[in-house]
Amino acid sequence: MKLTRAYSTHLGSTIPAAKAKYVPTSGTYPKGFSASGAFCGVKPGNTNKPDIAIVTSDRDCSAAAVFTKNKFQAAPVTFSRKLLQSRANAGLRSVIVNSGNANAVTGIGGLQDAAQMAETTDQRVGEKSSTIVMSTGVIGQRLPIQKIVDSIPNAVKSAGDQHKDWLRCANAICTTDTFPKLMSKSFKLPSSPGIEYRIAGMTKGAGMLAPNMATLLTILATDAPVAPGIMTNVLRHAVDRSFNSITVDGDTSTNDTVALLANGAAGGKEVSSEQSPDYEAFQTVLTDFATDLAKYIVRDGEGATKFVTIRVVDSASEESARQVARSIALSPLVKTALYGKDANWGRILCAAGYALISKPGQPVNDVPEIIPEKTNVSFIPTDGSKELQLLVNGEPEQVDEERASEILEMEDLEILVKLGTGDKTAVHWTCDFSHDYVTINGDYRT
């Protein structure tokens, strides 16, 4: 029986039917925060889409951010990193974002533009040096800064705390995304069981996506009271297991930023010690929340038709498991085979085999991380049916090609790799490569 591929690609202006289910119709948003999206027309071809976004708090926040490792870091990245350092992660109020132009590789003028965006927002929210700046879009072009600063007052004025306000904000940060990526949830902390805390987050990204983040911007906001001193560690832990565990195409952008703001508006005891039960609970909530957001990015990969989980288990170390999973996720041969619904497990094995090749000058690990005779590869169907074993203890299985084709028709797929050298695990999420990926990126600037 031939199945119909349901996870359609999209090049138009409306949300594809297969992805509309990921757009929330309601939400539970943190107290004291408001959001908005406003039209500015940053990109000349944009005539009506909101492209200025703001998330702002009615009181000071603890804040932290994780930034791209690309050497050509965009002006907003440089500005925001210095701001957080100067404020010691305290006293922040807002995040201002423009889409349509990355303000990257724009020299001193670009830094001045980022500062002007922040200062204009500061004036409207009433707190000096309190605004993180993000930009996304085309690299190497100066911002139409006057249009942006003229639009910021309206963005601040129109900010609200309703679902429609947060959704419009999430739409405003999109570029090649086909749907706005917005989530919210409530949670509890051990020391304050009677208080309902809330966290909301939005992210954007569809291409130029690889570990160490991507062309991705993420804003996370919570009304839990979190001390400035622990914000960076709790955010890095979450990002490492979420946004640093996704791949679309292997590129790492100039603008990647994930920011977390906590205003404490819900009350309760401050999370201030990494040894406290509250810290552990909040870290789990934040990591799980960030992981779910990150998965949305992969589901919206440019031209993607398939969401792929790569799970590497029984590894001698967590780091080697991550490297193997990442290598498979990055392989264009694996990704094109998945798009073509070809159970070419040899490509998976090949990508695993070169993942741990030592770099020049580095000692070779004495402990074998991969032993071919112990390696297993399987497809795990997402409908709960039996796994399809492709390689068992280094020996190839007689693959049922019809069954493999049925599994590869599904929207979601898991590739399971058992290394047989230990008990550590890592998970990575990726998508396939389709013809539409080339189409989208071939005419991105036009």
Side-chain angles (χ1 to χ4, degrees):
M1 178 182 70
K2 182 170 178 58
L3 301 175
T4 301
R5 190 191 299 272
Y7 200 50
S8 59
T9 58
H10 174 65
L11 296 175
S13 58
T14 58
I15 299 172
K19 299 182 184 181
K21 60 188 175 186
Y22 301 119
V23 181
T25 56
S26 63
T28 303
Y29 297 102
K31 296 177 180 178
F33 282 99
S34 56
S36 76
F39 169 73
C40 172
V42 173
K43 197 171 183 177
N46 178 25
T47 58
N48 56 20
K49 173 190 174 295
D51 52 1
I52 298 292
I54 186 169
V55 173
T56 187
S57 171
D58 63 6
R59 66 201 72 193
D60 288 352
C61 303
S62 301
V66 176
F67 300 101
T68 181
K69 293 183 180 180
N70 193 306
K71 295 298 183 183
F72 290 94
Q73 298 191 349
V77 170
T78 301
F79 174 86
S80 298
R81 177 186 285 110
K82 290 182 178 178
L83 173 67
L84 287 164
Q85 290 173 346
S86 68
R87 298 300 299 257
N89 289 0
L92 281 295
R93 283 286 186 94
S94 310
V95 180
I96 186 74
V97 188
N98 76 270
S99 62
N101 185 313
N103 191 12
V105 199
T106 47
I108 294 174
L111 285 170
Q112 293 170 341
D113 291 344
Q116 193 171 354
M117 287 176 64
E119 290 165 5
T120 304
T121 308
D122 290 341
Q123 292 168 5
R124 292 291 166 168
V125 301
E127 185 72 25
K128 187 177 180 181
S129 299
S130 67
T131 302
I132 294 169
V133 181
M134 300 181 186
S135 298
T136 182
V138 176
I139 294 170
Q141 298 179 6
R142 286 287 299 275
L143 291 173
I145 190 61
Q146 196 57 50
K147 292 173 69 174
I148 291 174
V149 296
D150 287 347
S151 300
I152 288 175
N154 178 53
V156 175
K157 183 179 179 180
S158 62
D161 60 4
Q162 301 301 301
H163 174 70
K164 63 180 179 62
D165 303 308
W166 284 86
L167 188 60
R168 185 170 175 82
C169 186
N171 267 298
I173 68 175
C174 293
T175 50
T176 59
D177 308 66
T178 66
F179 69 94
K181 301 162 184 68
L182 173 68
M183 285 178 50
S184 61
K185 68 176 293 185
S186 337
F187 64 96
K188 303 272 189 179
L189 292 176
S191 68
S192 306
I195 298 178
E196 178 188 71
Y197 294 108
R198 300 178 178 187
I199 185 170
M202 64 187 72
T203 191
K204 65 81 51 183
M208 205 179 268
L209 278 159
N212 298 324
M213 296 187 297
T215 299
L216 93 80
L217 304 180
T218 302
I219 305 169
L220 304 165
T222 181
D223 54 17
V226 185
I230 66 171
M231 289 286 282
T232 297
N233 284 349
V234 75
L235 180 60
R236 284 191 181 280
H237 180 277
V239 168
D240 195 37
R241 290 155 179 79
S242 57
F243 297 105
N244 279 347
S245 293
I246 60 173
T247 298
V248 169
D249 52 18
D251 272 357
T252 298
S253 171
T254 53
N255 289 63
D256 314 337
T257 305
V258 176
L260 170 65
L261 280 71
N263 68 3
K269 183 180 179 181
E270 185 179 61
V271 183
S272 58
S273 170
E274 294 188 17
Q275 284 69 50
S276 70
D278 280 353
Y279 181 90
E280 183 178 350
F282 180 68
Q283 181 174 260
T284 298
V285 168
L286 181 64
T287 301
D288 290 347
F289 188 82
T291 298
D292 288 340
L293 263 181
K295 289 178 180 179
Y296 279 171
I297 294 176
V298 176
R299 290 191 180 280
D300 201 24
E302 288 171 344
T305 71
K306 199 176 301 297
F307 177 84
V308 185
T309 299
I310 300 169
R311 192 179 307 276
V312 178
V313 303
D314 300 341
S315 173
S317 70
E318 184 176 346
E319 180 54 32
S320 59
R322 287 183 187 219
Q323 289 184 44
V324 170
R326 184 178 298 144
S327 182
I328 296 168
L330 284 167
S331 169
L333 291 178
V334 172
K335 293 159 78 67
T336 50
L338 292 173
Y339 175 67
K341 296 165 286 184
D342 180 8
N344 194 338
W345 57 265
R347 294 182 177 182
I348 298 170
L349 206 63
C350 180
Y354 62 65
L356 300 175
I357 296 175
S358 297
K359 296 179 181 179
Q362 288 186 335
V364 177
N365 195 331
D366 291 334
V367 179
E369 302 281 1
I370 294 180
I371 300 174
E373 294 78 15
K374 292 186 176 182
T375 303
N376 293 258
V377 178
S378 298
F379 286 157
I380 308 297
T382 54
D383 61 1
S385 58
K386 185 179 179 181
E387 73 177 282
L388 180 63
Q389 294 181 317
L390 306 171
L391 186 77
V392 177
N393 293 327
E395 294 290 335
E397 293 291 286
Q398 185 64 43
V399 178
D400 182 340
E401 296 292 348
E402 183 177 351
R403 175 60 180 148
S405 181
E406 289 179 352
I407 293 173
L408 289 169
E409 284 279 2
M410 298 178 187
E411 176 182 331
D412 287 21
L413 167 70
E414 180 175 322
I415 297 173
L416 176 65
V417 178
K418 298 179 181 179
L419 296 181
T421 55
D423 60 359
K424 304 301 181 184
T425 298
V427 182
H428 206 98
W429 297 278
T430 190
C431 59
D432 56 349
F433 264 164
S434 72
H435 303 287
D436 283 346
Y437 178 84
V438 177
T439 301
I440 292 167
N441 285 283
D443 62 4
Y444 178 64
R445 292 203 306 162
T446 56

